[in-house]
Amino acid sequence: MVHDGSSAEETIYRRATSCVMIDPILHILADSSVFQGLSERELQDVREAATMRRYVAGELMVRQGDPALAFHMLICGHAKLVQVTPDGHQVLIRYARPGHSFGLRSALSGFEYSLSAEAIDDSRALVWYGEVLAQLMERYSRIAFNGMRMMTLRNVEMQLRYQELLTEPVEQRVAQALLRLSNDMGQKTKEGILIDVPLSREDLAEYSGTTLYSVSRILRQWENAGVVRTGRERVLVRSQDSLLDIAAATI
Amino acid sequence: MVHDGSSAEETIYRRATSCVMIDPILHILADSSVFQGLSERELQDVREAATMRRYVAGELMVRQGDPALAFHMLICGHAKLVQVTPDGHQVLIRYARPGHSFGLRSALSGFEYSLSAEAIDDSRALVWYGEVLAQLMERYSRIAFNGMRMMTLRNVEMQLRYQELLTEPVEQRVAQALLRLSNDMGQKTKEGILIDVPLSREDLAEYSGTTLYSVSRILRQWENAGVVRTGRERVLVRSQDSLLDIAAATI
DNA sequence: CGAATTCTTTGCCCGCGCGCAAAGAATACA
DNA sequence: TGTATTCTTTGCGCGCGGGCAAAGAATTCG
């Protein structure tokens, strides 16, 4: 299975950094999954078609169920992408950091947002109206092609998570969730990998398909075993190998 | 939420029809999700870039884990798209009938097939090599755009199935599964909607995330209640309204 | 046509993990 | 600094549904 190679190479902007107008935005665009492979002139064209919007921590950037009118790419700050099920469960789909995007479907007519994006901290995002994005895709087929690639990867990940929910016990799923988070939002420290977003037991439960009580019991056990170090809304992975062992355990 | 409008309008070719070279193939291409919106000349171009392959019932058209080298579109016959999880569970992702396709990822370099496609009955499919499809997408951005749209819809459905697995009891999920199958593979008869593929209890279990024993108990109960009529590897939905009620029940 | 195979049915036991309760602890705010 | 709020922890009971067993029934094949 192939992963989105650009993720490993993207420049990581510290969450602690105060939120200011950042140069080079074109660099973020060039490194992003959707706009990679475009020439500098094409990137300039893309940049000029967007507006920059700012969001305060806690603000919704898009709302599930609303008509999907715009495509967003984070320039700084972080967001949490969530869905609410008909019976009121919240599912955490993923976190987003600079370079990550959502709302590709705005280029398709008549779609609603299938998830909500909530700014975790003060953030800025480039925003393209859907028709504008569609025109860019018509002009530069590479954007549509990259979009297809991104949605393919999203689908593959959703298939994997479905399979995990179907076949794996809770502990295994929580281990997998922490590994994904380490990979996507992790920052290496002397002690291990710090997951660099606020991550409550509730958040981790929503991400791995369980409840905060199960997550609490599991993290307590792993902390005692030295696998993780935790605090309030904070998880640091001390032994990624242990998590890999747990994640791969066969029943 | 928007559905793939072309599904409702696609011409349905009877499974019972013996498998012969069918005219009009261009019509199937024009109606398909991937190639809709192309001009007649463009469709001709697309048609000429493909080869026609024949598969006997039971034969694998693509295999999960193999490098994704080709894109397939069924011209006649039916296929079953499945995944096997690391611990040996089989998941039925969906059925495919003429006009349906799989393997878009072959246009993306370095991907493996995430599922296997097995011919249910003697079938024929148009096959495009990945590089050829990628070139077609570069030449006609509408194909890449349609591809992005198709993968978006796939992703949305996968998200919904994840949510269902997370929050709904087995009976509700089996009802939803039958509704989807009625919609995708159903044929109206006097008695109700016949799901027009062989559908064992095991198949329905793999499609709805449960076991054949649970499905058996549920179908037996629904048959007694007049909701369905069943036979061996055969389900006819007598009361779609009843299934809708069951599917929508809140805990 | 009979044997073999595969699918379906029904009973029943067990365990995972959800969910509720009841705290304690950490953080935010006035 | 103290109060209020929110998050975390731990105990425990219950139920959904998985899975095994043991058949019966339908279909396939020789």
Side-chain angles (χ1 to χ4, degrees), chain A residues 142-238:
Chain A
R142 170 153 286 275
I143 303 178
F145 190 83
N146 287 344
M148 185 184 76
R149 175 193 170 95
M150 171 176 277
M151 295 317 302
T152 299
L153 289 166
R154 293 278 165 78
N155 191 45
V156 164
E157 174 162 345
M158 219 54 231
Q159 285 172 346
L160 288 176
R161 284 170 74 172
Y162 178 91
Q163 291 181 19
E164 286 167 21
L165 195 60
L166 184 68
T167 63
E168 295 173 11
V170 168
E171 193 189 27
Q172 206 170 338
R173 298 204 310 272
V174 175
Q176 304 241 17
L178 282 185
L179 288 167
R180 281 200 181 99
L181 288 168
S182 298
N183 191 50
D184 290 350
M185 312 301 298
Q187 179 173 357
K188 280 193 162 176
T189 71
K190 281 181 304 185
E191 293 186 325
I193 303 171
L194 175 67
I195 295 169
D196 206 12
V197 284
L199 184 65
S200 68
R201 273 68 173 149
E202 180 77 33
D203 289 334
L204 189 44
E206 290 171 4
Y207 190 54
S208 51
T210 182
T211 64
L212 78 93
Y213 312 105
S214 296
V215 167
S216 185
R217 295 192 234 289
I218 292 169
L219 286 187
R220 175 59 41 202
Q221 197 185 331
W222 288 349
E223 183 143 23
N224 291 344
V227 178
V228 297
R229 285 280 293 282
T230 71
R232 186 174 165 130
E233 296 194 348
R234 177 176 166 286
V235 179
L236 177 142
V237 176
R238 295 187 73 197

Side-chain angles (χ1 to χ4, degrees), chain A:
Chain A
M1 191 65 63
V2 130
H3 296 286
D4 182 349
S6 66
S7 296
E9 302 161 26
E10 279 170 349
T11 308
I12 297 172
Y13 290 85
R14 300 288 194 85
R15 193 166 58 81
T17 308
S18 71
C19 218
V20 297
M21 179 63 84
I22 294 174
D23 206 19
I25 291 178
L26 288 190
H27 192 253
I28 296 180
L29 294 182
D31 280 350
S32 70
S33 300
V34 183
F35 301 125
Q36 71 183 97
L38 294 179
S39 72
E40 188 137 351
R41 205 175 68 236
E42 289 166 343
L43 287 170
Q44 196 77 11
D45 201 7
V46 161
R47 169 64 188 93
E48 286 167 10
T51 56
M52 180 77 79
R53 281 200 205 153
R54 127 179 9 205
Y55 302 89
V56 298
E59 186 175 0
L60 281 191
M61 307 171 82
V62 302
R63 184 190 305 270
Q64 175 183 354
D66 279 359
L69 301 180
F71 171 67
H72 291 68
M73 180 175 294
L74 273 183
I75 294 303
C76 74
H78 298 77
K80 191 196 227 185
L81 308 184
V82 299
Q83 292 177 328
V84 179
T85 70
D87 72 337
H89 267 79
Q90 180 152 290
V91 178
L92 206 167
I93 297 294
R94 68 182 179 277
Y95 285 95
R97 55 179 170 74
H100 288 182
S101 54
F102 46 90
L104 267 179
R105 66 183 56 207
S106 63
L108 309 166
S109 309
F111 276 62
E112 302 175 344
Y113 290 116
S114 69
L115 47 69
S116 299
E118 173 188 341
I120 291 177
D121 37 23
D122 290 352
S123 308
R124 285 178 193 259
L126 282 174
V127 180
W128 292 262
Y129 283 105
E131 316 100 83
V132 169
L133 184 63
Q135 284 160 12
L136 286 171
M137 285 179 170
E138 195 172 349
R139 192 177 316 160
Y140 311 118
S141 62
R142 170 153 286 275
I143 303 178
F145 190 83
N146 287 344
M148 185 184 76
R149 175 193 170 95
M150 171 176 277
M151 295 317 302
T152 299
L153 289 166
R154 293 278 165 78
N155 191 45
V156 164
E157 174 162 345
M158 219 54 231
Q159 285 172 346
L160 288 176
R161 284 170 74 172
Y162 178 91
Q163 291 181 19
E164 286 167 21
L165 195 60
L166 184 68
T167 63
E168 295 173 11
V170 168
E171 193 189 27
Q172 206 170 338
R173 298 204 310 272
V174 175
Q176 304 241 17
L178 282 185
L179 288 167
R180 281 200 181 99
L181 288 168
S182 298
N183 191 50
D184 290 350
M185 312 301 298
Q187 179 173 357
K188 280 193 162 176
T189 71
K190 281 181 304 185
E191 293 186 325
I193 303 171
L194 175 67
I195 295 169
D196 206 12
V197 284
L199 184 65
S200 68
R201 273 68 173 149
E202 180 77 33
D203 289 334
L204 189 44
E206 290 171 4
Y207 190 54
S208 51
T210 182
T211 64
L212 78 93
Y213 312 105
S214 296
V215 167
S216 185
R217 295 192 234 289
I218 292 169
L219 286 187
R220 175 59 41 202
Q221 197 185 331
W222 288 349
E223 183 143 23
N224 291 344
V227 178
V228 297
R229 285 280 293 282
T230 71
R232 186 174 165 130
E233 296 194 348
R234 177 176 166 286
V235 179
L236 177 142
V237 176
R238 295 187 73 197
S239 171
Q240 204 163 5
D241 285 345
S242 298
L243 283 187
L244 282 161
D245 286 343
I246 297 167
T250 47
I251 297 173

Side-chain angles (χ1 to χ4, degrees), chain B residues 159-168 173 176 180:
Chain B
Q159 286 171 345
L160 287 176
R161 286 172 72 170
Y162 179 90
Q163 291 181 19
E164 286 166 20
L165 196 58
L166 184 66
T167 63
E168 294 174 9
R173 299 205 309 273
Q176 303 238 18
R180 278 196 183 102

Side-chain angles (χ1 to χ4, degrees), chain B residues 11 13 21-31 47 75 126:
Chain B
T11 307
Y13 290 85
M21 178 65 85
I22 296 173
D23 205 14
I25 291 177
L26 288 191
H27 192 254
I28 295 179
L29 295 181
D31 279 351
R47 170 61 188 95
I75 295 302
L126 282 174

Side-chain angles (χ1 to χ4, degrees), chain B:
Chain B
M1 190 65 63
V2 131
H3 296 284
D4 181 351
S6 66
S7 295
E9 301 160 25
E10 277 171 348
T11 307
I12 296 173
Y13 290 85
R14 299 287 193 85
R15 193 167 59 81
T17 308
S18 69
C19 216
V20 296
M21 178 65 85
I22 296 173
D23 205 14
I25 291 177
L26 288 191
H27 192 254
I28 295 179
L29 295 181
D31 279 351
S32 70
S33 300
V34 182
F35 300 124
Q36 72 183 98
L38 294 180
S39 72
E40 188 135 351
R41 207 176 64 233
E42 292 167 339
L43 287 169
Q44 196 77 10
D45 200 5
V46 161
R47 170 61 188 95
E48 286 166 10
T51 57
M52 181 76 81
R53 282 201 203 151
R54 126 176 14 199
Y55 303 89
V56 300
E59 186 175 358
L60 282 192
M61 306 171 80
V62 302
R63 184 189 306 269
Q64 175 183 354
D66 279 358
L69 302 179
F71 171 67
H72 292 67
M73 179 173 295
L74 273 183
I75 295 302
C76 74
H78 298 78
K80 189 196 227 185
L81 307 184
V82 300
Q83 291 176 329
V84 178
T85 71
D87 71 338
H89 268 79
Q90 178 154 291
V91 178
L92 205 168
I93 298 293
R94 68 184 177 278
Y95 286 95
R97 55 179 170 77
H100 288 183
S101 55
F102 46 88
L104 269 179
R105 66 184 56 210
S106 63
L108 310 166
S109 308
F111 277 62
E112 301 174 344
Y113 290 116
S114 69
L115 46 69
S116 299
E118 174 188 340
I120 291 176
D121 36 22
D122 291 351
S123 309
R124 286 177 190 260
L126 282 174
V127 181
W128 293 262
Y129 283 104
E131 315 101 81
V132 169
L133 183 63
Q135 284 160 14
L136 286 171
M137 287 179 168
E138 195 173 349
R139 192 178 315 161
Y140 311 117
S141 61
R142 169 152 291 273
I143 302 179
F145 190 83
N146 287 344
M148 185 183 76
R149 178 193 168 93
M150 170 176 279
M151 295 317 304
T152 298
L153 289 165
R154 293 279 164 79
N155 193 44
V156 164
E157 174 160 345
M158 221 51 235
Q159 286 171 345
L160 287 176
R161 286 172 72 170
Y162 179 90
Q163 291 181 19
E164 286 166 20
L165 196 58
L166 184 66
T167 63
E168 294 174 9
V170 168
E171 193 189 26
Q172 208 171 336
R173 299 205 309 273
V174 175
Q176 303 238 18
L178 282 184
L179 288 167
R180 278 196 183 102
L181 288 167
S182 299
N183 192 48
D184 291 347
M185 311 304 297
Q187 177 172 0
K188 280 193 165 177
T189 71
K190 281 183 303 188
E191 293 186 325
I193 302 173
L194 174 66
I195 293 170
D196 205 9
V197 284
L199 184 64
S200 68
R201 272 63 172 157
E202 179 78 34
D203 289 335
L204 189 44
E206 290 172 5
Y207 191 56
S208 50
T210 183
T211 64
L212 79 92
Y213 312 106
S214 297
V215 166
S216 185
R217 295 191 235 284
I218 292 168
L219 286 187
R220 175 59 40 202
Q221 198 185 331
W222 288 349
E223 182 141 25
N224 292 344
V227 179
V228 299
R229 285 280 294 281
T230 71
R232 185 176 165 130
E233 295 194 352
R234 179 175 167 284
V235 179
L236 179 143
V237 176
R238 296 188 72 197
S239 173
Q240 204 162 7
D241 285 346
S242 297
L243 284 186
L244 283 161
D245 287 343
I246 296 167
T250 47
I251 295 172

